[in-house]
Amino acid sequence: MENLDITVLRQLLQWRQQGQRALLATVIRTWGSSPRPVGSIMALCETGAVIGSVSGGCIEDDLIYRYRRADGAAGAGTHDIPDGPPERVKYGVSADEAHRFGLPCGGTLELMLEFNPDTDALATLVTALGEGRLMQRSTDLATGHVTVAACERPQALSDDGRVLRNTFGPEYRMLLIGAGQLAEYLSTMAIFCGFSVSVCDPREEYRGSWNVPGAKLLTGMPDDVVQAFGVDRRTCVIALTHDPKLDDLALLEALGTEAFYVGAIGSRRNNEARRARMIEHFDQTGESLAAMRGPIGIYIGSKMPSEIAVSIMAEVLAVKNGVALPRDAQVGPAKDQLQPRSADDGGAVCFSASRVA
């Protein structure tokens, strides 16, 4: 599934290239609770078609109504999208308005509406985003003129009253080490959440049964793949094989990058053994390994691969979104509270056979 911003901009470009009038709405400011964060975008075509979201739906409906033609006729061409400089629109100023537009209690939302965005600037932006580049789109608020330029680091949306600047792309990426069943569930969830997913496994027996549309399968050694991957601040690297020969070197390579999340599957005992190996054989320290997560995921009592994938994906999204998880939500501390530490360690389910009399 493509990044939502890119999907919106790509569709907006298609409308404009077809000669259709359209507007681009951007959330530029929020007060109190808000259903969508600053920087969220949506586009409205003169046909009434909408893509993207700036609220739970009510504000989108209001924008559709706002530009509906007086004749109200159904069908194509029923909306008047004006020309002119961008306009500011504020929703939820009063309690009645907040309730009407479905905003949370006390929520207020301000949008910037840009009318009939320039096709050439849109094409430049969409092409660059498709190539995986980080871009900043700057709009002159007096004229509506847009410039697009590459930037090195993601930046928060800014509005100084003269220029609106919003950063787009590249997609968040997930690199999984190991193509087993857990990777199938996790990659499917990540794609659904808008991540670009690559799965690395040099083992032919695992690659042969891989079947997740949209996830790129890589066959090199994991540490080499991490080196060549161009890991950045929008990348997470997760080791899932339980095989130190594959996981350890890949994790060490990832720890030397700007990846926002680096972690490995395994019980608490296995993760402690991994850290001990890295300290003993690879000259690591507790400080250099501090960013390596494990056991990964949040504690939800997961046992099945699908449940474990939900647990991991939830933690990845929390870290991505800057949410500090409480200690009780972490696997290790949560299990320590539930039961004493045992040889099983709670990180993996062990089975033994016994004769029934």
Side-chain angles (χ1 to χ4, degrees):
M1 182 174 291
E2 189 174 56
N3 176 279
L4 180 58
D5 286 347
I6 299 177
T7 301
V8 172
L9 294 169
R10 197 184 302 280
Q11 181 61 70
L12 177 60
L13 173 61
Q14 182 177 333
W15 289 335
R16 297 293 293 133
Q17 288 176 330
Q18 293 170 347
Q20 295 175 316
R21 304 175 74 80
L23 67 79
L24 176 67
T26 304
V27 179
I28 60 171
R29 194 168 287 107
T30 64
W31 296 265
S33 301
S34 174
R36 296 285 286 139
V38 169
S40 300
I41 60 174
M42 62 154 282
L44 168 66
C45 183
E46 66 178 23
T47 64
V50 172
I51 188 167
S53 174
V54 292
S55 77
C58 293
I59 291 178
E60 288 84 348
D61 290 344
D62 183 74
L63 289 172
I64 294 171
Y65 178 80
R66 179 187 294 255
Y67 294 102
R68 188 181 299 276
R69 284 188 177 180
D71 58 25
T78 62
H79 291 73
D80 282 325
I81 307 295
D83 287 314
E87 294 182 5
R88 298 175 186 270
V89 180
K90 191 176 293 185
Y91 290 91
V93 175
S94 68
D96 287 343
E97 285 183 320
H99 177 74
R100 173 189 168 196
F101 294 116
L103 295 173
C105 181
T108 303
L109 194 69
E110 186 174 351
L111 305 179
M112 186 70 71
L113 305 181
E114 298 178 52
F115 305 108
N116 305 309
D118 178 71
T119 303
D120 291 339
L122 269 175
T124 299
L125 177 59
V126 169
T127 298
L129 294 176
E131 294 171 350
R133 287 187 280 162
L134 184 66
M135 304 296 291
Q136 186 174 81
R137 182 177 185 270
S138 301
T139 305
D140 186 310
L141 299 180
T143 65
H145 178 71
V146 172
T147 57
V148 177
C151 55
E152 294 184 358
R153 299 184 184 278
Q155 300 176 31
L157 178 143
S158 67
D159 168 24
D160 62 7
R162 295 177 292 108
V163 179
L164 174 68
R165 297 180 177 87
N166 202 4
T167 302
F168 295 99
E171 296 176 297
Y172 278 90
R173 297 184 297 161
M174 177 180 287
L175 174 60
L176 300 178
I177 310 302
Q181 187 179 35
L182 176 56
E184 292 185 5
Y185 285 111
L186 184 54
S187 60
T188 301
M189 292 178 187
I191 291 170
F192 183 80
C193 291
F195 282 70
S196 173
V197 178
S198 297
V199 178
C200 168
D201 203 320
R203 303 169 298 180
E204 186 175 353
E205 60 272 23
Y206 283 87
R207 297 198 310 268
S209 60
W210 179 260
N211 185 28
V212 178
K216 184 178 181 181
L217 189 60
L218 306 173
T219 62
M221 290 301 294
D223 53 326
D224 294 332
V225 168
V226 173
Q227 284 184 348
F229 200 72
V231 174
D232 57 21
R233 291 186 177 187
R234 294 194 172 197
T235 305
C236 60
V237 180
I238 306 174
L240 302 175
T241 73
H242 290 286
D243 184 344
K245 298 189 299 296
L246 301 178
D247 288 348
D248 287 9
L249 292 178
L251 290 167
L252 287 172
E253 290 291 343
L255 287 171
T257 70
E258 292 186 315
F260 75 88
Y261 182 104
V262 177
I265 197 70
S267 66
R268 288 169 289 176
R269 187 177 300 277
N270 288 339
N271 275 278
E272 289 173 1
R274 177 183 297 111
R275 292 175 183 273
R277 286 195 304 271
M278 291 180 173
I279 291 172
E280 180 179 358
H281 299 293
F282 297 101
D283 298 324
Q284 298 298 305
T285 64
E287 182 178 353
S288 68
L289 298 176
M292 184 172 66
R293 294 175 177 270
I296 54 176
I298 63 173
Y299 186 72
I300 57 174
S302 52
K303 298 294 183 182
M304 303 296 291
S306 55
E307 296 174 342
I308 296 171
V310 170
S311 166
I312 296 171
M313 194 70 230
E315 184 181 44
V316 169
L317 291 175
V319 176
K320 166 186 171 290
N321 295 332
V323 176
L325 291 169
R327 179 176 171 81
D328 289 350
Q330 299 170 23
V331 173
K335 288 185 175 179
D336 283 336
Q337 290 184 11
L338 289 175
Q339 59 188 14
R341 190 88 176 253
S342 66
D344 175 25
D345 188 34
V349 179
C350 297
F351 299 92
S352 61
S354 62
R355 183 178 299 277
V356 177

